[in-house]
Amino acid sequence: MATSDRYLSTLLIAIYFNDSSSFYYFTTSLIHYSSFSTMPSNPSSSHPNFANVKPLLTAAASFAATLVLARSVANDLLPPHLRSYLYHGCRDIFNRFSSQLTMIIDERDGLGPNQIYDAADTYLATKVSPSTHRLKVTKPEKEDNITTTMESNQQITDIFDGVQFHWVLVCSQIEEQNLYNPRLPFRSTVRSFKLCFHRKHRDMVLKSYLPHILHQAKELKQQTKTLKIYTFDFRHMYGNNSNLWIPTNLDHPATFEKLAMDSEIKDFILRDLERFVKRKEYYRKVGKAWKRGYLLYGPPGTGKSSLIAAMANYLRFAVYDLELTEIQCNSDLRKLLIGMGNRSILVVEDIDCSIQFQDRESESAEEENIPFRRRTTQVTLSGLLNFIDGLWSSCGDERIIIFTTNRKEKLDGALLRPGRMDVHVHMSYCSPCGFRLLASNYLGIENHQLFGEIEELILKAKVTPAEVAEQLLKGEDGDTALRELMEFLEDKKMRNEEERKGKIDDESEMEAGEKEERKEENEGIAA
């Protein structure tokens, strides 16, 4: 009888206080308790479950009628304040007889957002059942994806580790005083999730269920978010940090499958990225900031920018494009770092050309001769090193820093050591493997009789993937494009040989001139 009393108390709360989640809990619990699925096709009063349900339904109907009448009388006769006081008192009494525990998850936590509410909103969107009749559909401006979420007062049941959890989205309107026009007060909507479950699962909810929701929501947002590329606006450098970076959609189609580079290098980069994103606890354990540095070096046109876009598309990371020549001092670098989001890629292209760095001893020597007011009007090597590997580099998680350069030998050795640039990737000239991938992507050709000759020429001509792709785009059909590519490669090979021969002749002339000078010097000494 204790179980019946518990369900009746829940029904009492549901009807008397118009609590839809309690009524939902009552009906589902009643069905579970009575085990209708195990009843015979011709139920009779002799069946024990049916015998238990019959008086329960009779009592429920009697309670419902009484409560509806009592509530109608109370609403008509009692003042609002007294009615509210009685409602809360009765609710507390009846809650003592219920095994149900309800958690309220508000949309706001003070002035800021509530992360658990946002995570639950994302997570529950994947739990909507086909029987749901009302959904809220949104598409934010400049976003690609259409999202569906729960509508107010809708109910969703979720099962975690064999336990049922009942969710209800509660929305209420609140009037706030309008200081400018008291006759037209503001009306704001306050949203909250109501989570109902058995009291005995309280610890499991706090230690397992809610952390599970936070993790799942993070993964869902990462998979569905619209990628952005950011550039900083120097006009807001001394304003709010949230305005430092200006976003726009990143629609670059590059993927690892389309990159015309050696398959072993691609596989290595993919494995390295996958290992990096899974090692949060490892980085914390060894005492390192959760970041990874890449140096991409090689001739222009070898696909450095395309590789960056492929990494962003693969990880679903936003890209922050940093132009060092626009930065006035080291403190601006720190502000930009703080203004970046997590799970992002910071890119500094052509690091050897963007700004002239000196070694730190030269910097100290020059600063002694520079007036104090001018000493902070430049970005120094030590400032950049602290930016990527010092204390300030730990102001954020799951970040990748990528430098690109055409001439690695021009960079200071301090920039290249592990911990700053952990992975060095040589972006070389087009290989036979890269050519076959380009032919498949641009022409849809997997094999051709000209492939053998073209691959031999590619090894000798030293052409970039960008040059090969440009030639493949010119042809009207596959055969024409491949023949024109062969002509281009033969011409390129001849020009390379002429340049090589010219360099040899110049070196021979220089050696001959040096010999002549040494001979004249020796003759002068002898005289």
Side-chain angles (χ1 to χ4, degrees), residues 105 179 181 211 255 292 360 400 509:
I105 304 172
L179 299 178
N181 189 351
T255 62
R292 192 77 169 154
R360 281 169 281 189
I400 293 176
E509 290 179 2

Side-chain angles (χ1 to χ4, degrees), residues 33 42 82 84 141 216 238 279 294 300-301 357 380 391 407 482:
Y33 173 73
N42 296 316
L82 179 58
S84 176
E141 186 179 0
Q216 290 296 315
Y238 303 103
R279 305 183 86 182
Y294 283 80
F357 291 117
T380 63
L391 292 175
R407 299 182 62 185
L482 292 176

Side-chain angles (χ1 to χ4, degrees), residues 24 59 97 109 142 175 206 224 236 263 282 284 294 336 346 373 413 416 448 475:
Y24 181 78
F97 296 96
D109 180 19
K142 296 183 180 180
E175 288 192 358
L206 295 176
T224 59
H236 296 145
S263 58
Y282 176 80
R284 187 175 297 275
Y294 283 80
L336 291 170
L346 175 68
R373 59 177 179 164
L416 304 179
H448 195 276

